[in-house]
Amino acid sequence: EAEVAQSPRYKITEKSQAVAFWCDPISGHATLYWYRQILGQGPELLVQFQDESVVDDSQLPKDRFSAERLKGVDSTLKIQPAELGDSAMYLCASSWTEAHNEQFFGPGTRLTVL
Amino acid sequence: AQTVTQSQPEMSVQEAETVTLSCTYDTSENNYYLFWYKQPPSRQMILVIRQEAYKQQNATENRFSVNFQKAAKSFSLKISDSQLGDTAMYFCAFMKRAGNMLTFGGGTRLMVKP
């Protein structure tokens, strides 16, 4: 069964360092989402792509976060510089198109900033 | 903006018993989607059940069913014949329209006891 892949699964970094997370959606899925899940809370959207275009990045802290999906397939989320408050699980999800409502989630990357 | 509230941070149930998880939401939309997602420990989030707001009939998926009260903006999840594998975080989520982001509640941690 096709799944959303994410790497790394765990990342420990020191504050002010740069980190990057990678997501490979299910093959053929045009819509890709990055969510941040702080421990004990529900996920919150950071950015949404339709193919290679950003659909919604209103909640992305653009002074330190960036996201790209250059060829409309896999995606990278970057944080530079990392802050203590960025410690969280970063989840990637995908869906077939914007017309489909089911989102399939990856296992996430757990980031710890020291 | 939409909000989703899960008022039960933790619940427990004996194996084979029935448990109901509560969810309320706030929106000015008339047509939307509601979801329950399950997040097992250290595993990815998976869809349990979904409800389209224009459908009056409550959704059912095997042992999982919902009680959707549109006027009250309530969307509870009933798990019948609880199994040990049902132990997980359960998130209620709202989607304004297909392809939009999910707005999650804070989650309910369910423990099924043998």
Side-chain angles (χ1 to χ4, degrees), chain B residues 38-41 84-90 108-112:
Chain B
K38 171 185 177 182
Q39 189 176 38
L84 297 178
D86 295 335
T87 292
M89 282 290 291
Y90 286 82
T108 296
R109 183 178 304 279
L110 177 67
M111 173 75 72
V112 180

Side-chain angles (χ1 to χ4, degrees), chain B residues 40-93:
Chain B
S42 302
R43 296 182 61 185
Q44 62 243 59
M45 198 170 309
I46 57 174
L47 178 66
V48 175
I49 197 165
R50 84 186 94 186
Q51 176 80 40
E52 294 159 345
Y54 68 86
K55 291 184 177 179
Q56 293 186 335
Q57 187 172 8
N58 289 324
T60 299
E61 288 286 344
N62 300 314
R63 297 182 296 108
F64 300 88
S65 62
V66 298
N67 183 5
F68 173 49
Q69 301 290 326
K70 190 173 183 180
K73 296 181 181 175
S74 171
F75 183 62
S76 62
L77 173 70
K78 185 171 81 171
I79 306 174
S80 303
D81 186 24
S82 297
Q83 301 176 0
L84 297 178
D86 295 335
T87 292
M89 282 290 291
Y90 286 82
F91 292 97
C92 178

Side-chain angles (χ1 to χ4, degrees), chain A residues 54-91:
Chain A
V54 173
V55 173
D56 184 354
D57 64 355
S58 57
Q59 300 304 309
L60 188 70
K62 298 181 188 64
D63 57 334
R64 297 185 301 107
F65 286 64
S66 64
E68 60 182 19
R69 193 183 183 200
L70 294 177
K71 297 183 179 179
V73 182
D74 58 337
S75 176
T76 301
L77 179 69
K78 298 179 181 178
I79 308 175
Q80 183 174 15
E83 295 181 353
L84 297 178
D86 297 331
S87 294
M89 178 75 85
Y90 291 82
L91 298 171

Side-chain angles (χ1 to χ4, degrees), chain A residues 3 9 33 35 37 40-43 45 48 91 98-103 105-107, chain B residues 33 35 37 39 42-45 47 50 52 91 95 98-102 104-106:
Chain A
E3 294 184 339
R9 293 292 306 278
Y33 310 80
Y35 290 88
Q37 183 179 18
Q41 298 180 20
L45 182 76
Q48 176 183 346
L91 298 171
E98 284 189 306
H100 292 77
N101 58 49
E102 181 173 358
Q103 296 181 18
F105 284 81
Chain B
Y33 302 89
F35 304 83
Y37 274 88
Q39 189 176 38
S42 302
R43 296 182 61 185
Q44 62 243 59
M45 198 170 309
L47 178 66
R50 84 186 94 186
E52 294 159 345
F91 292 97
M95 180 184 286
N100 274 197
M101 69 176 196
L102 288 163
F104 288 88

Side-chain angles (χ1 to χ4, degrees), chain A residues 15 17 27 29-30 34 45 47 54 56 58 88 94 99 108-109 112 114:
Chain A
K15 64 180 181 179
Q17 297 298 303
S27 179
H29 280 197
W34 282 102
L45 182 76
V47 61
V54 173
D56 184 354
S58 57
S94 68
T109 295
T112 301
L114 303 175

Side-chain angles (χ1 to χ4, degrees), chain A residues 4 25-32 69 72-73 94-97 102 104:
Chain A
V4 176
I26 293 172
S27 179
H29 280 197
T31 310
L32 185 147
R69 193 183 183 200
V73 182
S94 68
S95 64
W96 280 105
T97 69
E102 181 173 358
F104 296 82

